[in-house]
């Protein structure tokens, strides 16, 4: 769980995000993001460097999951609070 001050939002910036092998349904591995009941996202397999995710609240839940021992790669994400 990431959080920042009230009236702020969180910006995630992708440095590296690559989960292999390719799985368009995110069944093997993925990254689940949720900042409110209205804003949910599941990212899997590959995101371009520079991709950003802006929360709609001051709290963001992040859950990395892996259901297979053959997942390779990984992710590197930085975040900051924005007013």
């Amino acid at each position: 769980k990431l959080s920042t001050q009230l009236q702020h939002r969180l910006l995630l910036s992708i440095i590296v995000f690559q989960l292999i092998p390719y799985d368009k349904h995110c069944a093997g591995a993925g990254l689940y993001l949720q900042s409110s009941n209205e804003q949910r996202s599941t990212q899997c397999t590959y995101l371009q460097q520079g991709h950003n995710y802006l929360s709609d609240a001051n709290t963001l839940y992040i859950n990395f999951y892996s259901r297979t021992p053959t997942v390779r790669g990984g992710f590197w994400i930085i975040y900051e609070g924005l007013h």
Side-chain angles (χ1 to χ4, degrees), residues 26-38:
C26 302
L31 187 66
Y32 179 75
L33 307 169
Q34 181 175 356
S35 63
S36 68
N37 287 334
E38 290 80 34

Side-chain angles (χ1 to χ4, degrees), residues 61-78:
Y61 294 91
I62 301 174
N63 181 37
F64 172 74
Y65 64 91
S66 176
R67 298 182 180 106
T68 175
T70 60
V71 173
R72 296 175 298 281
F75 62 91
W76 178 12
I77 298 173
I78 59 173

Side-chain angles (χ1 to χ4, degrees), residues 42-71:
T42 301
Q43 306 294 334
C44 59
T45 308
Y46 183 78
L47 290 174
Q48 292 288 338
Q49 181 177 357
H51 179 88
N52 294 319
Y53 179 90
L54 183 62
S55 70
D56 64 353
N58 72 318
T59 302
L60 179 63
Y61 294 91
I62 301 174
N63 181 37
F64 172 74
Y65 64 91
S66 176
R67 298 182 180 106
T68 175
T70 60
V71 173

